[in-house]
């Protein structure tokens, strides 16, 4: 009789161990599925944000490019007018918060914050180096903290 109880106890312990392992495996799978869904949502959000950033930036460039090309980079009335046009285009855009117009030396001659602008030197920044090297179109580089 004692042998029977031992077999029953071992079988019961094995069943409990199996149930525990099954529960752990199932919980792990559920958590992995949730993490995968969260990551998929995050990728979609970041992709949409990137698309809208490029779209808003491109809209801004296309809207003022002809005026900037015709501007001598010093005439104050045209500078103010271009600045206001850029500000209006950025209203309501959560992606584009500011914009600059740089001269050939990589120094800002106009921005969307103040007039007259505080010159910012950026010839060493990746985006300016790319444009100085003849990059045509948008250039995306790693984030840089302003100086």
């Amino acid at each position: 009789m004692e042998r029977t109880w031992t077999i029953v106890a071992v079988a019961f312990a094995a069943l409990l161990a199996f149930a525990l392992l099954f529960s752990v495996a199932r919980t792990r799978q559920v958590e992995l599925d949730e993490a995968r869904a969260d990551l998929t949502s995050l990728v979609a959000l970041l992709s949409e944000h990137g698309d809208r950033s490029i779209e808003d930036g491109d809209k801004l460039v296309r809207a003022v490019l002809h005026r900037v090309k015709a501007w001598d980079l010093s005439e104050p009335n045209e500078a103010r007018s271009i600045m206001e046009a850029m500000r209006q285009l950025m209203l309501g855009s959560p992606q584009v918060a500011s914009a600059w117009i740089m001269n050939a030396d990589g120094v800002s001659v106009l921005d969307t914050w103040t007039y007259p602008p505080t010159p910012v030197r950026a010839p060493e920044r990746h985006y300016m180096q790319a444009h100085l090297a003849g990059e045509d179109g948008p250039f995306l580089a790693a984030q840089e903290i302003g100086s």
Side-chain angles (χ1 to χ4, degrees):
M1 186 68 157
E2 188 175 313
R3 183 168 156 79
T4 303
W5 283 111
T6 301
I7 292 172
V8 168
V10 168
F12 184 70
L15 184 62
L16 282 179
F18 175 77
L20 179 65
L21 289 175
F22 177 78
S23 176
V24 167
R26 179 69 185 129
T27 301
R28 179 179 178 274
Q29 188 60 49
V30 167
E31 289 179 3
L32 285 174
D33 290 345
E34 287 175 359
R36 187 174 293 115
D38 289 348
L39 185 57
T40 300
S41 295
L42 182 60
V43 166
L45 175 73
L46 291 175
S47 178
E48 181 66 22
H49 177 73
D51 290 346
R52 287 185 184 190
S53 296
I54 291 171
E55 181 181 303
D56 284 359
D58 189 52
K59 177 177 70 174
L60 180 68
V61 169
R62 284 187 282 117
V64 299
L65 184 61
H66 66 287
R67 293 180 65 188
V68 172
K69 284 183 175 182
W71 179 43
D72 68 0
L73 301 184
S74 64
E75 203 283 311
N77 290 331
E78 183 63 7
R80 275 192 183 278
S81 179
I82 291 171
M83 175 186 160
E84 287 304 320
M86 291 192 308
R87 280 182 165 182
Q88 289 300 311
L89 287 165
M90 291 185 323
L91 286 178
S93 172
Q95 286 78 23
V96 179
S98 61
W100 307 267
I101 294 174
M102 315 293 273
N103 66 17
D105 296 324
V107 178
S108 63
V109 294
L110 186 64
D111 62 45
T112 54
W113 293 316
T114 59
Y115 188 84
T118 302
V120 174
R121 295 192 49 76
E124 73 286 347
R125 295 191 182 178
H126 297 288
Y127 59 84
M128 194 65 203
Q129 290 175 0
H131 289 297
L132 290 174
E135 180 74 32
D136 187 28
F139 175 78
L140 300 177
Q143 177 184 9
E144 295 189 33
I145 306 301
S147 54

